[in-house]
Amino acid sequence: MIQTLDIVNFLDMAETTPVVDVRTPLEFEHASIPGAFNLPIFSNEERVQVGTTYKQKGREEAILLGFDLTGPKWSGFIQQALKIAPDKKILIHCWRGGMRSGAMAWALNLYGFEVYLLEGGYKCYRNWVLAQFKEKYPILILGGMTGSAKTKTLVKLKELGQQVIDLEDLAQHQGSSYGSMGYLIQPSQEHFENLLASQLIKIDKTKPLWLEDESLSIGKCFIPNPIFKQMRESVLLKLEIPFQERVNFLVQEYGKLNKEFLIESTTRIGKRLGPEQTRDSIAAINEDLMEVFIRLVLVYYDKTYANGQGKRTKESVHALVCKSTDAIENSTILLNYIQSKQIKILNN
């Protein structure tokens, strides 16, 4: 049995049924539906061959070439599909819902699979992704200067039953020049958007959605403009944590990272740090004086954060004095504050 589904029903079924993306490895690697499996009908090179044949000789010649290229592969496709969906129920898509997904659906159906195709393919999915960013969400922004342990506090808020999307986790970046931590690999902008949309669709709009205060870019990933605009207009709950507590936290977080990475990252912001602070910061890294290094670069990051906060209306910023970076304590302070002050959340 082969059925075609619109994007909403396709994604609903994807919660419990495996999704197979039959596009090339290169297409899949660039961006995909989160959680999908890649079962490419064509290799990257074969797709180019078929596309060239289509343009030069027409559709029928391209189809014949496609069958010539895939002929020996069909047994393997079925065996891989059985590993992905042993109950023989599967969702399939290609780029536009055309020949590639149709061919795979035909073969799997012939073998006895229950097959569901995405109408319009991945292109339709991308339109759906972009549409999610135009929706209104009940956003609360968690702010605080660098070293306030905002991400750890968000994790604790989530454990306490709050709705949280960790944008830095989706972007695989901590949001500063040192944000890659020397080992994190960022997704493409397109896949970052796909991951974000997959989180937004799960949000209960009658309850607050906590996001961390971010600039437009998180490393090489950019927050979609409609979402960023909502973030800038939302209430900001700012953790005010003593300077030394932030220094201690950052020494623990960054102090053990590779020295070459720290020096390279410091050099990258050298123009903004200034020549003396850059020189002294690099010297501190080389001499294992991590606290000195953190204190020096915090001067720059604190100024940057203050400038960003200055673009918000004063009424939207709520400062909460905290004793330390303890995530349990600070999440309790946040929840008690929004309850006692009856914080208004924008969702219209």
Side-chain angles (χ1 to χ4, degrees), residues 42-63 65-66 69 99:
F42 298 129
S43 67
N44 300 326
E45 296 76 18
E46 287 170 344
R47 183 179 181 235
V48 173
Q49 285 182 261
V50 173
T52 301
T53 300
Y54 186 94
K55 290 179 181 178
Q56 294 179 350
K57 299 182 179 180
R59 180 174 181 274
E60 291 181 351
E61 288 294 328
I63 291 174
L65 176 60
L69 293 171
M99 289 187 288

Side-chain angles (χ1 to χ4, degrees), residues 13-298:
M13 188 173 285
E15 293 292 321
T16 56
T17 306
V19 175
V20 164
D21 182 337
V22 300
R23 296 177 303 152
T24 63
L26 193 62
E27 291 173 288
F28 184 82
E29 183 180 343
H30 175 68
S32 62
I33 296 176
F37 298 87
N38 190 207
L39 185 53
I41 282 188
F42 298 129
S43 67
N44 300 326
E45 296 76 18
E46 287 170 344
R47 183 179 181 235
V48 173
Q49 285 182 261
V50 173
T52 301
T53 300
Y54 186 94
K55 290 179 181 178
Q56 294 179 350
K57 299 182 179 180
R59 180 174 181 274
E60 291 181 351
E61 288 294 328
I63 291 174
L64 289 174
L65 176 60
F67 276 112
D68 285 340
L69 293 171
T70 60
K73 300 181 184 180
W74 289 106
S75 175
F77 290 154
I78 292 170
Q79 291 176 42
Q80 290 179 68
L82 283 169
K83 291 179 181 179
I84 294 168
D87 65 349
K88 293 186 177 180
K89 185 177 180 180
I90 201 164
L91 296 159
I92 297 176
H93 77 84
C94 60
W95 167 236
R96 284 185 296 191
M99 289 187 288
R100 285 186 287 178
S101 58
M104 184 66 77
W106 170 81
L108 295 183
N109 177 64
L110 187 64
Y111 191 77
F113 275 79
E114 185 179 335
V115 181
Y116 297 86
L117 285 172
L118 173 58
E119 183 179 5
Y122 180 76
K123 185 177 181 181
C124 175
Y125 169 74
R126 279 296 297 167
N127 290 334
W128 174 88
V129 165
L130 298 176
Q132 304 317 300
F133 305 145
K134 297 176 183 178
E135 297 287 323
K136 298 295 183 182
Y137 299 95
I139 295 172
L140 282 177
I141 298 296
L142 175 61
M145 291 188 172
T146 303
S148 297
K150 297 185 290 294
T151 299
K152 291 185 182 298
T153 302
L154 283 176
V155 170
K156 184 53 60 176
L157 285 169
K158 190 170 185 177
E159 290 176 2
L160 293 172
Q162 296 293 301
Q163 295 187 119
V164 173
I165 295 180
D166 187 343
L167 294 170
E168 292 183 353
D169 181 56
L170 298 184
Q172 286 294 285
H173 199 277
Q174 300 298 313
S176 69
S177 178
Y178 309 89
S180 74
M181 307 296 282
Y183 61 88
L184 295 174
I185 299 174
Q186 293 199 264
S188 67
Q189 174 65 25
E190 186 174 310
H191 195 60
F192 170 69
E193 292 172 358
N194 293 353
L195 292 167
L196 177 54
S198 73
Q199 294 291 306
L200 289 172
I201 193 62
K202 300 174 184 177
I203 295 304
D204 180 347
K205 293 182 181 178
T206 66
K207 300 176 181 178
L209 166 60
W210 291 86
L211 301 175
E212 186 173 333
D213 192 18
E214 305 282 0
S215 60
L216 179 62
S217 64
I218 307 175
K220 295 179 180 178
C221 294
F222 288 82
I223 299 171
N225 281 318
I227 296 296
F228 186 69
K229 184 174 185 294
Q230 288 186 59
M231 290 173 66
R232 299 302 294 182
E233 294 172 350
S234 298
V235 168
L236 169 68
L237 296 163
K238 178 187 175 186
L239 302 176
E240 292 199 337
I241 293 172
F243 183 76
Q244 186 60 47
E245 289 291 319
R246 294 192 289 123
V247 170
N248 294 342
F249 176 79
L250 291 169
V251 168
Q252 290 296 317
E253 289 284 297
Y254 293 91
K256 297 178 182 178
L257 296 181
N258 179 273
K259 284 186 180 182
E260 291 183 7
F261 165 73
L262 291 175
I263 291 170
E264 179 186 336
S265 300
T266 302
T267 303
R268 194 179 304 128
I269 56 172
K271 289 184 179 179
R272 287 166 283 177
L273 277 177
E276 291 184 11
Q277 278 188 301
T278 301
R279 179 198 64 207
D280 294 345
S281 297
I282 292 173
I285 294 168
N286 282 321
E287 295 170 25
D288 289 323
L289 299 173
M290 286 299 122
E291 182 169 332
V292 174
F293 157 63
I294 294 296
R295 284 176 170 272
L296 286 166
V297 296
L298 268 186

